[in-house]
Amino acid sequence: MGRLISSTAMPDPNARSWTDADVATATRKKPVPEGLWVRCASCGAILFRRALENNLSVCPDCRHHFRISAPERITQLADPDSFDEFANEIISGDPLSFVDTKAYSDRLAAAKKKTGVNEAVRCGTAFIKGRKVVLVAMDFRFLGGSMGSAVGEKIAIAIEMAIAEDLPLIVVSSSGGARMMESGLSLMQMAKTSAALARFDESGGLFISVLTDPTTGGVTASFAMLGDVILGEPKALIGFAGPRVIKNTIRQDLPEGFQRSEFLLEHGFLDRVVDRKDLRSEISSLIDYAGK
């Protein structure tokens, strides 16, 4: 009886020998697409971007709240397909022909190209769990969410819309403050928005201000801190001048957690710190409580 011979033991006369180049090609790893993974700035965890977005851009390990854009914020807060934008045609000009290391007009063009939006704030009517509101969302990606003449005008229009239609006003702030490239014109927006809110208050309106990371400068010094109810996201930086500027000015070490949401809540500047996943429910409950 003949001995069985494994087919793998028999050489294939048609097979070619492998070269070093063949081995390198076969074992080369496929490149990982850029932007697929994100490192958490708080705990250092490496997170799958899609999973992070599905978790409202909140780290599942340490609950760090990533900064999000105005379109993302609107999607998270508003009922599906309910956001009806207005004043989108109002955009910044360059009234002072301002130039520092780059012309202001060039900065505006670059910001529009990079972000896909035409200004640092979006305004519209929307429904939040079935409650109709005027919703304003600032976008830190656009020149640091800074408030220039166009931003101030759009927010003032949103306030007037809330007065005219007797709707609650929800403003989500994310800003470095007044836009320095417009000098005094940007500072005037602090008075304009504050005066509009005074009229809104006289009309009996409900203003819920949501402060996110960061909310600083002239935005904090005006409309952001004038809410009937002021909410903050966890560990958001909230203040006027930055902590480094304050420390260098008073030449003293600052308390632990200074200018963070939890510190401000403890000292009476905020009404509540609310996790992003709970914001929709919190806002709708406040509207119901106020009878709006």
Side-chain angles (χ1 to χ4, degrees), residues 57-278:
S57 294
V58 175
C59 176
D61 295 337
C62 70
R63 306 306 299 166
H64 170 69
H65 284 51
F66 285 72
R67 295 173 183 172
I68 60 176
S69 66
E72 290 174 296
R73 180 71 64 179
I74 292 166
T75 299
Q76 290 183 9
L77 285 180
D79 295 348
D81 301 319
S82 70
F83 184 72
D84 185 11
E85 188 167 10
F86 56 76
N88 190 45
E89 74 284 356
I90 298 175
I91 59 175
S92 294
D94 186 9
L96 305 179
S97 300
F98 187 88
V99 179
D100 47 22
T101 56
K102 183 189 289 188
Y104 178 37
S105 57
D106 292 340
R107 292 187 184 279
L108 288 170
K112 292 175 184 178
K113 181 178 180 180
K114 178 181 178 181
T115 63
V117 298
N118 61 11
E119 197 41 85
V121 69
R122 295 185 68 181
C123 309
T125 56
F127 286 88
I128 297 179
K129 287 199 167 185
R131 288 82 170 169
K132 189 175 183 180
V133 303
V134 172
L135 178 60
V136 176
M138 303 191 76
D139 201 323
F140 192 78
R141 301 174 304 158
F142 194 101
L143 298 181
S146 51
M147 179 171 64
S149 299
V151 169
E153 178 68 10
K154 292 179 72 168
I155 292 173
I157 289 173
I159 297 169
E160 297 295 343
M161 175 73 76
I163 294 173
E165 299 196 11
D166 191 25
L167 294 174
L169 173 67
I170 316 298
V171 179
V172 184
S173 298
S174 179
S175 173
R179 190 172 296 175
M180 56 168 274
M181 292 78 92
E182 295 185 23
S183 188
L185 296 174
S186 65
L187 298 179
M188 291 168 63
Q189 309 312 309
M190 298 169 61
K192 176 197 284 186
T193 54
S194 298
L197 283 172
R199 293 192 295 273
F200 184 58
D201 183 62
E202 290 171 359
S203 73
L206 172 65
F207 172 30
I208 301 174
S209 181
V210 182
L211 311 185
T212 70
D213 184 65
T215 300
T216 58
V219 168
T220 305
S222 57
F223 63 85
M225 298 300 288
L226 294 177
D228 297 300
V229 181
I230 304 177
L231 308 177
E233 286 194 331
K235 297 184 179 179
L237 175 65
I238 302 167
F240 181 60
R244 183 177 61 183
V245 173
I246 296 174
K247 182 177 180 179
N248 290 339
T249 300
I250 66 176
R251 301 186 183 283
Q252 293 182 17
D253 290 333
L254 302 174
E256 183 70 24
F258 179 70
Q259 290 189 325
R260 296 291 173 177
S261 298
E262 293 74 13
F263 185 90
L264 270 66
L265 176 65
E266 182 180 345
H267 289 80
F269 286 89
L270 297 184
D271 294 300
R272 192 165 298 175
V273 176
V274 183
D275 193 287
R276 189 171 291 167
K277 66 180 175 58
D278 298 322

Side-chain angles (χ1 to χ4, degrees), residues 12-27:
D12 182 357
N14 296 320
R16 66 181 181 86
S17 60
W18 281 60
T19 65
D20 291 342
D22 294 328
V23 174
T25 299
T27 58

Side-chain angles (χ1 to χ4, degrees), residues 21-65:
D22 294 328
V23 174
T25 299
T27 58
R28 185 183 299 125
K29 293 182 179 179
K30 294 183 178 180
V32 177
E34 289 187 14
L36 196 61
W37 299 92
V38 181
R39 181 184 295 274
C40 176
S42 179
C43 68
I46 304 300
L47 308 170
F48 184 49
R49 182 179 292 276
R50 181 64 60 83
L52 178 65
E53 292 171 352
N54 290 339
N55 198 43
L56 303 181
S57 294
V58 175
C59 176
D61 295 337
C62 70
R63 306 306 299 166
H64 170 69
H65 284 51

